[in-house]
Amino acid sequence: MAKKALLLLGCPELPVQNSIAAYLASLLKDAGLSVFVAGTDAALRLLEVSDTKGYYIGTESMIELDKCIEYLAEKRVDYDFCFVFVYNEQGLSYLTTIRSISNAKLFAIIFGTDSESLAGEIDFECEKLVSRAVHNPMPLVEMIEDTVIKGVKRWAVSN
Amino acid sequence: MGCIELMDYTILLSHTSFKEGREFIKVNFKEVYAVEPGYKIFDVYLIGLSPIVIGVEDDCVIFPYVKPCHGTFVIRIESDEEVENLRSAGN
């Protein structure tokens, strides 16, 4: 059975979030994972419109944020990997909550002008990808290629 | 806010940070309980930084509610049952 990855999106205020989500979903799918996305309604609609034909994320793999938290907290579902998008304190709150209710290997994709200080507030173990990116996704793209995909493949082989 | 929006609630603090909301509850309420993120209250699972602090006053619970695009709200809702749940857990 394919490993499952969850991308958890916050408020889509910063432009890089949507493109990085589609990019990451594409790479994870190519690596053989089943990819799911949870987010606010606006974040999901942005992704849906960007990926009109559902090449990377089908609408059936999109989950409303509150429902996703509910299913995880009630242990009705869990994932092998979870990527939480963080650019403000609310994102940190979701990251911390996912850590409490899920056994997934956790990645924090931290971006925006406050990225360094937000990363400094994380006092538990998770993979952190930190960039001040707001508009230009390329710094995060490089980190994802270097860290995430290699890490996911390594982890998948060893488990 | 899910079902909470349909309840009789009072907003004590709005569009604040989670930490400010936590401090507000600690400073303004004598009876407080610490719970972990994901704690269920009413029909929602609380989102937040650990520990999440919930205040109790009379038969009301006072807790932070995080909305992704709007920050943290501190809200107060009357509920004997939720007060009892907190007291019996004794966190």
Side-chain angles (χ1 to χ4, degrees), chain A residues 9-13 40 65-66 69-71 73-74 87-90 92-94 96-101 121, chain B residues 1-2 16-20 36-38 40 43 45-50 52 65-72:
Chain A
L9 309 181
C11 177
E13 189 178 343
T40 62
L65 192 53
D66 289 343
I69 296 297
E70 179 184 327
Y71 294 160
E74 292 177 358
Y87 81 92
N88 59 12
E89 196 202 41
Q90 291 97 285
L92 272 188
S93 291
Y94 275 90
T96 308
T97 303
I98 291 291
R99 185 215 174 214
S100 287
I101 61 178
E121 291 192 44
Chain B
M1 290 189 192
T16 189
S17 76
F18 185 85
K19 287 176 184 168
E20 285 168 345
E36 284 303 302
K40 190 176 188 184
D43 74 341
Y45 294 90
L46 290 184
I47 304 298
L49 306 175
S50 184
I52 295 177
Y65 195 90
V66 174
K67 297 191 81 174
C69 299
H70 302 287
T72 298

Short mmCIF file of all heavy atoms in Angstrom, two decimals, chain A residues 9-13 40 65-66 69-71 73-74 87-90 92-94 96-101 121, chain B residues 1-2 16-20 36-38 40 43 45-50 52 65-72:
data_model
loop_
_atom_site.label_atom_id
_atom_site.label_comp_id
_atom_site.label_asym_id
_atom_site.label_seq_id
_atom_site.Cartn_x
_atom_site.Cartn_y
_atom_site.Cartn_z
N LEU A 9 -2.35 23.20 4.64
CA LEU A 9 -2.17 24.59 4.22
C LEU A 9 -2.86 25.56 5.16
O LEU A 9 -3.97 25.29 5.63
CB LEU A 9 -2.74 24.79 2.81
CG LEU A 9 -2.29 23.79 1.74
CD1 LEU A 9 -2.94 24.14 0.41
CD2 LEU A 9 -0.78 23.78 1.61
N GLY A 10 -2.22 26.69 5.38
CA GLY A 10 -2.84 27.74 6.17
C GLY A 10 -3.55 28.74 5.28
O GLY A 10 -3.84 28.46 4.11
N CYS A 11 -3.80 29.90 5.83
CA CYS A 11 -4.42 30.98 5.07
C CYS A 11 -3.53 31.28 3.85
O CYS A 11 -2.31 31.41 3.98
CB CYS A 11 -4.49 32.21 5.96
SG CYS A 11 -5.16 33.65 5.14
N PRO A 12 -4.10 31.36 2.66
CA PRO A 12 -3.28 31.52 1.45
C PRO A 12 -2.85 32.95 1.18
O PRO A 12 -2.83 33.40 0.04
CB PRO A 12 -4.21 31.00 0.35
CG PRO A 12 -5.57 31.33 0.84
CD PRO A 12 -5.52 31.22 2.34
N GLU A 13 -2.48 33.67 2.22
CA GLU A 13 -2.14 35.08 2.07
C GLU A 13 -0.84 35.28 1.28
O GLU A 13 -0.71 36.23 0.52
CB GLU A 13 -2.02 35.72 3.46
CG GLU A 13 -1.89 37.22 3.43
CD GLU A 13 -1.82 37.80 4.84
OE1 GLU A 13 -2.18 37.11 5.81
OE2 GLU A 13 -1.39 38.96 4.95
N THR A 40 -7.81 25.68 4.42
CA THR A 40 -9.00 26.53 4.46
C THR A 40 -9.69 26.41 3.10
O THR A 40 -9.10 25.97 2.11
CB THR A 40 -8.60 28.01 4.68
OG1 THR A 40 -7.78 28.43 3.58
CG2 THR A 40 -7.83 28.18 5.98
N LEU A 65 -10.12 21.84 6.53
CA LEU A 65 -9.16 21.86 7.63
C LEU A 65 -9.71 21.33 8.96
O LEU A 65 -9.10 20.48 9.61
CB LEU A 65 -8.65 23.30 7.81
CG LEU A 65 -7.44 23.53 8.69
CD1 LEU A 65 -6.27 22.67 8.30
CD2 LEU A 65 -7.05 25.01 8.66
N ASP A 66 -10.87 21.81 9.36
CA ASP A 66 -11.44 21.36 10.64
C ASP A 66 -11.75 19.87 10.62
O ASP A 66 -11.57 19.17 11.63
CB ASP A 66 -12.73 22.14 10.96
CG ASP A 66 -12.44 23.59 11.34
OD1 ASP A 66 -11.28 23.90 11.66
OD2 ASP A 66 -13.39 24.41 11.32
N ILE A 69 -8.52 17.87 11.12
CA ILE A 69 -8.13 17.84 12.53
C ILE A 69 -9.02 16.86 13.31
O ILE A 69 -8.54 16.07 14.13
CB ILE A 69 -8.21 19.26 13.14
CG1 ILE A 69 -7.21 20.21 12.46
CG2 ILE A 69 -7.99 19.23 14.66
CD1 ILE A 69 -5.76 19.86 12.63
N GLU A 70 -10.30 16.92 13.03
CA GLU A 70 -11.25 16.02 13.71
C GLU A 70 -10.89 14.55 13.44
O GLU A 70 -10.82 13.75 14.38
CB GLU A 70 -12.66 16.33 13.20
CG GLU A 70 -13.75 15.45 13.80
CD GLU A 70 -15.10 15.75 13.17
OE1 GLU A 70 -15.36 16.91 12.79
OE2 GLU A 70 -15.90 14.80 13.04
N TYR A 71 -10.66 14.20 12.19
CA TYR A 71 -10.37 12.80 11.84
C TYR A 71 -9.05 12.34 12.47
O TYR A 71 -8.95 11.20 12.93
CB TYR A 71 -10.30 12.62 10.32
CG TYR A 71 -11.61 12.84 9.61
CD1 TYR A 71 -11.65 13.12 8.25
CD2 TYR A 71 -12.83 12.78 10.28
CE1 TYR A 71 -12.85 13.33 7.58
CE2 TYR A 71 -14.03 13.00 9.62
CZ TYR A 71 -14.03 13.28 8.28
OH TYR A 71 -15.21 13.49 7.63
N ALA A 73 -7.62 13.65 15.23
CA ALA A 73 -7.78 13.60 16.70
C ALA A 73 -8.56 12.36 17.12
O ALA A 73 -8.31 11.79 18.19
CB ALA A 73 -8.48 14.87 17.19
N GLU A 74 -9.50 11.95 16.29
CA GLU A 74 -10.32 10.77 16.63
C GLU A 74 -9.69 9.48 16.14
O GLU A 74 -10.29 8.42 16.23
CB GLU A 74 -11.72 10.95 16.02
CG GLU A 74 -12.50 12.08 16.69
CD GLU A 74 -13.86 12.34 16.06
OE1 GLU A 74 -14.20 11.67 15.06
OE2 GLU A 74 -14.56 13.23 16.57
N TYR A 87 3.53 30.31 8.15
CA TYR A 87 4.10 31.65 7.92
C TYR A 87 3.67 32.64 9.01
O TYR A 87 4.07 33.80 8.99
CB TYR A 87 3.74 32.20 6.54
CG TYR A 87 2.37 32.81 6.45
CD1 TYR A 87 2.17 34.16 6.66
CD2 TYR A 87 1.26 32.02 6.18
CE1 TYR A 87 0.92 34.72 6.60
CE2 TYR A 87 0.00 32.57 6.13
CZ TYR A 87 -0.17 33.92 6.33
OH TYR A 87 -1.42 34.47 6.28
N ASN A 88 2.90 32.14 9.95
CA ASN A 88 2.50 33.00 11.07
C ASN A 88 2.24 32.12 12.30
O ASN A 88 2.42 30.90 12.26
CB ASN A 88 1.27 33.84 10.71
CG ASN A 88 0.07 32.97 10.32
OD1 ASN A 88 0.08 31.76 10.53
ND2 ASN A 88 -0.95 33.59 9.76
N GLU A 89 1.82 32.75 13.38
CA GLU A 89 1.63 31.99 14.63
C GLU A 89 0.52 30.95 14.51
O GLU A 89 0.57 29.90 15.13
CB GLU A 89 1.33 32.97 15.77
CG GLU A 89 1.52 32.33 17.13
CD GLU A 89 0.75 33.03 18.21
OE1 GLU A 89 -0.40 33.44 17.98
OE2 GLU A 89 1.31 33.19 19.32
N GLN A 90 -0.49 31.25 13.70
CA GLN A 90 -1.56 30.27 13.50
C GLN A 90 -0.99 28.99 12.88
O GLN A 90 -1.37 27.88 13.25
CB GLN A 90 -2.67 30.82 12.61
CG GLN A 90 -3.48 31.93 13.24
CD GLN A 90 -2.97 33.30 12.82
OE1 GLN A 90 -1.93 33.75 13.29
NE2 GLN A 90 -3.68 33.97 11.94
N LEU A 92 2.02 27.89 13.26
CA LEU A 92 2.72 27.19 14.34
C LEU A 92 1.74 26.42 15.22
O LEU A 92 2.03 25.32 15.68
CB LEU A 92 3.46 28.20 15.23
CG LEU A 92 4.87 28.62 14.88
CD1 LEU A 92 5.43 29.47 16.01
CD2 LEU A 92 5.77 27.42 14.62
N SER A 93 0.60 27.03 15.46
CA SER A 93 -0.42 26.37 16.29
C SER A 93 -0.89 25.07 15.62
O SER A 93 -1.07 24.05 16.29
CB SER A 93 -1.62 27.30 16.50
OG SER A 93 -1.27 28.39 17.33
N TYR A 94 -1.09 25.12 14.32
CA TYR A 94 -1.49 23.90 13.62
C TYR A 94 -0.38 22.86 13.63
O TYR A 94 -0.63 21.67 13.81
CB TYR A 94 -1.95 24.23 12.19
CG TYR A 94 -3.40 24.64 12.15
CD1 TYR A 94 -3.77 25.97 12.28
CD2 TYR A 94 -4.42 23.69 12.03
CE1 TYR A 94 -5.11 26.35 12.29
CE2 TYR A 94 -5.76 24.06 12.04
CZ TYR A 94 -6.10 25.39 12.16
OH TYR A 94 -7.42 25.75 12.19
N THR A 96 1.93 22.44 15.91
CA THR A 96 1.99 21.87 17.26
C THR A 96 0.84 20.90 17.49
O THR A 96 1.00 19.85 18.12
CB THR A 96 1.94 23.00 18.30
OG1 THR A 96 2.94 23.97 17.99
CG2 THR A 96 2.18 22.47 19.70
N THR A 97 -0.31 21.25 16.97
CA THR A 97 -1.49 20.39 17.15
C THR A 97 -1.32 19.08 16.38
O THR A 97 -1.61 18.00 16.91
CB THR A 97 -2.76 21.13 16.70
OG1 THR A 97 -2.86 22.35 17.43
CG2 THR A 97 -4.00 20.28 16.94
N ILE A 98 -0.83 19.16 15.16
CA ILE A 98 -0.60 17.95 14.38
C ILE A 98 0.38 17.04 15.11
O ILE A 98 0.22 15.83 15.17
CB ILE A 98 -0.05 18.30 12.97
CG1 ILE A 98 -1.13 18.98 12.14
CG2 ILE A 98 0.46 17.05 12.25
CD1 ILE A 98 -2.29 18.10 11.72
N ARG A 99 1.38 17.65 15.69
CA ARG A 99 2.37 16.86 16.44
C ARG A 99 1.69 16.10 17.60
O ARG A 99 2.06 15.00 17.94
CB ARG A 99 3.46 17.78 16.98
CG ARG A 99 4.57 17.04 17.66
CD ARG A 99 5.06 17.85 18.80
NE ARG A 99 6.03 17.16 19.60
CZ ARG A 99 6.12 17.32 20.90
NH1 ARG A 99 5.31 18.14 21.53
NH2 ARG A 99 7.03 16.68 21.59
N SER A 100 0.67 16.72 18.20
CA SER A 100 -0.01 16.09 19.33
C SER A 100 -0.96 14.98 18.91
O SER A 100 -1.21 14.06 19.68
CB SER A 100 -0.84 17.12 20.11
OG SER A 100 -0.02 17.97 20.84
N ILE A 101 -1.52 15.07 17.71
CA ILE A 101 -2.59 14.14 17.37
C ILE A 101 -2.24 13.16 16.24
O ILE A 101 -3.07 12.33 15.90
CB ILE A 101 -3.89 14.91 16.99
CG1 ILE A 101 -3.67 15.81 15.76
CG2 ILE A 101 -4.40 15.72 18.17
CD1 ILE A 101 -4.92 16.55 15.30
N GLU A 121 10.87 29.19 17.39
CA GLU A 121 9.89 28.88 18.43
C GLU A 121 9.50 27.41 18.47
O GLU A 121 8.78 26.98 19.37
CB GLU A 121 8.63 29.72 18.22
CG GLU A 121 8.86 31.20 18.49
CD GLU A 121 7.56 31.97 18.55
OE1 GLU A 121 6.62 31.47 19.19
OE2 GLU A 121 7.51 33.05 17.95
N MET B 1 -16.20 28.62 12.89
CA MET B 1 -16.03 28.03 14.22
C MET B 1 -16.86 26.76 14.41
O MET B 1 -16.99 26.26 15.50
CB MET B 1 -16.44 29.02 15.29
CG MET B 1 -15.50 30.20 15.47
SD MET B 1 -15.98 31.11 16.94
CE MET B 1 -15.03 32.60 16.76
N GLY B 2 -17.47 26.25 13.36
CA GLY B 2 -18.27 25.04 13.53
C GLY B 2 -19.46 25.33 14.40
O GLY B 2 -20.08 26.40 14.31
N THR B 16 -6.12 38.35 18.17
CA THR B 16 -4.89 38.50 18.96
C THR B 16 -3.94 37.35 18.62
O THR B 16 -4.24 36.52 17.77
CB THR B 16 -5.24 38.53 20.46
OG1 THR B 16 -4.09 38.88 21.19
CG2 THR B 16 -5.77 37.21 20.97
N SER B 17 -2.79 37.31 19.30
CA SER B 17 -1.90 36.17 19.10
C SER B 17 -2.27 35.09 20.11
O SER B 17 -2.90 35.38 21.14
CB SER B 17 -0.43 36.58 19.29
OG SER B 17 -0.15 36.72 20.66
N PHE B 18 -1.87 33.87 19.83
CA PHE B 18 -2.20 32.78 20.75
C PHE B 18 -1.60 33.03 22.12
O PHE B 18 -2.25 32.83 23.15
CB PHE B 18 -1.71 31.44 20.19
CG PHE B 18 -2.12 30.28 21.04
CD1 PHE B 18 -3.36 29.69 20.87
CD2 PHE B 18 -1.30 29.81 22.04
CE1 PHE B 18 -3.77 28.66 21.70
CE2 PHE B 18 -1.69 28.78 22.86
CZ PHE B 18 -2.93 28.20 22.68
N LYS B 19 -0.35 33.47 22.13
CA LYS B 19 0.34 33.69 23.41
C LYS B 19 -0.33 34.80 24.22
O LYS B 19 -0.44 34.70 25.44
CB LYS B 19 1.80 34.03 23.17
CG LYS B 19 2.60 32.80 22.73
CD LYS B 19 4.03 33.18 22.41
CE LYS B 19 4.79 31.98 21.89
NZ LYS B 19 6.07 32.35 21.30
N GLU B 20 -0.76 35.84 23.54
CA GLU B 20 -1.47 36.92 24.26
C GLU B 20 -2.79 36.40 24.82
O GLU B 20 -3.19 36.76 25.92
CB GLU B 20 -1.70 38.10 23.33
CG GLU B 20 -0.44 38.91 23.07
CD GLU B 20 -0.58 39.90 21.92
OE1 GLU B 20 -1.53 39.78 21.13
OE2 GLU B 20 0.29 40.77 21.80
N GLU B 36 -3.60 19.76 26.29
CA GLU B 36 -2.75 19.64 25.09
C GLU B 36 -3.54 20.03 23.84
O GLU B 36 -4.77 19.91 23.81
CB GLU B 36 -2.24 18.20 24.96
CG GLU B 36 -1.11 17.87 25.93
CD GLU B 36 0.08 18.81 25.78
OE1 GLU B 36 0.64 18.90 24.70
OE2 GLU B 36 0.43 19.47 26.79
N PRO B 37 -2.84 20.48 22.80
CA PRO B 37 -3.53 20.73 21.52
C PRO B 37 -4.29 19.47 21.09
O PRO B 37 -3.81 18.35 21.27
CB PRO B 37 -2.37 21.02 20.56
CG PRO B 37 -1.28 21.54 21.42
CD PRO B 37 -1.40 20.80 22.73
N GLY B 38 -5.47 19.68 20.55
CA GLY B 38 -6.31 18.55 20.17
C GLY B 38 -7.34 18.22 21.24
O GLY B 38 -8.16 17.33 21.04
N LYS B 40 -10.65 18.14 23.15
CA LYS B 40 -12.00 18.35 22.61
C LYS B 40 -12.86 19.15 23.59
O LYS B 40 -12.98 18.78 24.75
CB LYS B 40 -12.67 17.02 22.31
CG LYS B 40 -13.97 17.19 21.52
CD LYS B 40 -14.57 15.84 21.14
CE LYS B 40 -15.76 16.06 20.20
NZ LYS B 40 -16.43 14.80 19.87
N ASP B 43 -17.82 20.56 20.30
CA ASP B 43 -17.54 19.57 19.25
C ASP B 43 -16.32 19.95 18.43
O ASP B 43 -16.18 19.53 17.28
CB ASP B 43 -18.76 19.36 18.35
CG ASP B 43 -18.97 20.53 17.41
OD1 ASP B 43 -18.42 21.62 17.70
OD2 ASP B 43 -19.64 20.36 16.39
N TYR B 45 -11.91 20.45 18.25
CA TYR B 45 -10.61 20.07 18.81
C TYR B 45 -9.75 21.32 18.82
O TYR B 45 -9.54 21.93 17.76
CB TYR B 45 -9.98 18.96 17.97
CG TYR B 45 -10.78 17.68 18.05
CD1 TYR B 45 -11.80 17.42 17.14
CD2 TYR B 45 -10.55 16.76 19.07
CE1 TYR B 45 -12.57 16.28 17.24
CE2 TYR B 45 -11.32 15.61 19.17
CZ TYR B 45 -12.32 15.37 18.25
OH TYR B 45 -13.09 14.23 18.36
N LEU B 46 -9.26 21.69 19.99
CA LEU B 46 -8.56 22.97 20.11
C LEU B 46 -7.21 22.94 19.40
O LEU B 46 -6.44 21.99 19.52
CB LEU B 46 -8.35 23.33 21.58
CG LEU B 46 -9.61 23.71 22.37
CD1 LEU B 46 -9.23 24.13 23.78
CD2 LEU B 46 -10.40 24.81 21.66
N ILE B 47 -6.97 24.01 18.68
CA ILE B 47 -5.71 24.22 17.98
C ILE B 47 -4.88 25.19 18.81
O ILE B 47 -5.43 26.15 19.36
CB ILE B 47 -5.97 24.88 16.60
CG1 ILE B 47 -6.95 24.06 15.77
CG2 ILE B 47 -4.67 25.15 15.85
CD1 ILE B 47 -6.48 22.69 15.42
N GLY B 48 -3.58 24.96 18.92
CA GLY B 48 -2.79 25.94 19.63
C GLY B 48 -1.42 25.44 20.02
O GLY B 48 -1.05 24.30 19.76
N LEU B 49 -0.67 26.34 20.63
CA LEU B 49 0.66 26.01 21.13
C LEU B 49 0.50 25.39 22.51
O LEU B 49 -0.37 25.78 23.28
CB LEU B 49 1.51 27.28 21.21
CG LEU B 49 1.61 28.11 19.94
CD1 LEU B 49 2.39 29.40 20.19
CD2 LEU B 49 2.27 27.31 18.83
N SER B 50 1.35 24.42 22.79
CA SER B 50 1.27 23.74 24.08
C SER B 50 1.94 24.57 25.19
O SER B 50 3.03 25.10 24.97
CB SER B 50 1.97 22.39 23.95
OG SER B 50 1.84 21.67 25.14
N ILE B 52 -2.29 24.62 26.06
CA ILE B 52 -3.47 25.46 25.87
C ILE B 52 -4.11 25.65 27.24
O ILE B 52 -4.32 24.69 27.98
CB ILE B 52 -4.46 24.80 24.90
CG1 ILE B 52 -3.83 24.69 23.50
CG2 ILE B 52 -5.77 25.59 24.85
CD1 ILE B 52 -4.69 23.97 22.48
N TYR B 65 -9.52 30.25 20.66
CA TYR B 65 -9.99 29.61 19.43
C TYR B 65 -9.21 30.22 18.26
O TYR B 65 -9.27 31.41 18.01
CB TYR B 65 -11.49 29.82 19.24
CG TYR B 65 -12.05 28.89 18.20
CD1 TYR B 65 -12.53 27.64 18.57
CD2 TYR B 65 -12.06 29.23 16.87
CE1 TYR B 65 -13.00 26.75 17.62
CE2 TYR B 65 -12.53 28.35 15.91
CZ TYR B 65 -13.01 27.12 16.29
OH TYR B 65 -13.47 26.24 15.35
N VAL B 66 -8.45 29.36 17.57
CA VAL B 66 -7.56 29.83 16.49
C VAL B 66 -8.27 29.71 15.14
O VAL B 66 -8.80 28.65 14.80
CB VAL B 66 -6.26 29.00 16.46
CG1 VAL B 66 -5.40 29.37 15.26
CG2 VAL B 66 -5.47 29.21 17.75
N LYS B 67 -8.28 30.81 14.41
CA LYS B 67 -8.79 30.78 13.04
C LYS B 67 -7.61 31.11 12.11
O LYS B 67 -6.91 32.11 12.32
CB LYS B 67 -9.92 31.79 12.86
CG LYS B 67 -11.13 31.48 13.73
CD LYS B 67 -12.33 32.30 13.37
CE LYS B 67 -13.02 31.69 12.16
NZ LYS B 67 -14.29 32.38 11.85
N PRO B 68 -7.38 30.27 11.10
CA PRO B 68 -6.16 30.40 10.29
C PRO B 68 -5.91 31.79 9.71
O PRO B 68 -4.77 32.24 9.68
CB PRO B 68 -6.37 29.37 9.17
CG PRO B 68 -7.34 28.40 9.73
CD PRO B 68 -8.23 29.16 10.66
N CYS B 69 -6.95 32.45 9.26
CA CYS B 69 -6.75 33.75 8.61
C CYS B 69 -7.00 34.94 9.54
O CYS B 69 -6.82 36.08 9.13
CB CYS B 69 -7.65 33.87 7.39
SG CYS B 69 -7.33 32.64 6.12
N HIS B 70 -7.43 34.69 10.76
CA HIS B 70 -7.87 35.79 11.61
C HIS B 70 -7.22 35.83 12.99
O HIS B 70 -7.56 36.68 13.81
CB HIS B 70 -9.39 35.74 11.77
CG HIS B 70 -10.12 35.82 10.46
ND1 HIS B 70 -10.22 36.97 9.73
CD2 HIS B 70 -10.72 34.85 9.73
CE1 HIS B 70 -10.89 36.72 8.61
NE2 HIS B 70 -11.20 35.44 8.58
N GLY B 71 -6.32 34.92 13.27
CA GLY B 71 -5.65 34.93 14.56
C GLY B 71 -6.44 34.19 15.62
O GLY B 71 -7.26 33.32 15.32
N THR B 72 -6.16 34.56 16.87
CA THR B 72 -6.77 33.86 18.00
C THR B 72 -7.88 34.70 18.62
O THR B 72 -7.73 35.92 18.78
CB THR B 72 -5.70 33.55 19.06
OG1 THR B 72 -4.71 32.68 18.48
CG2 THR B 72 -6.29 32.88 20.29
#
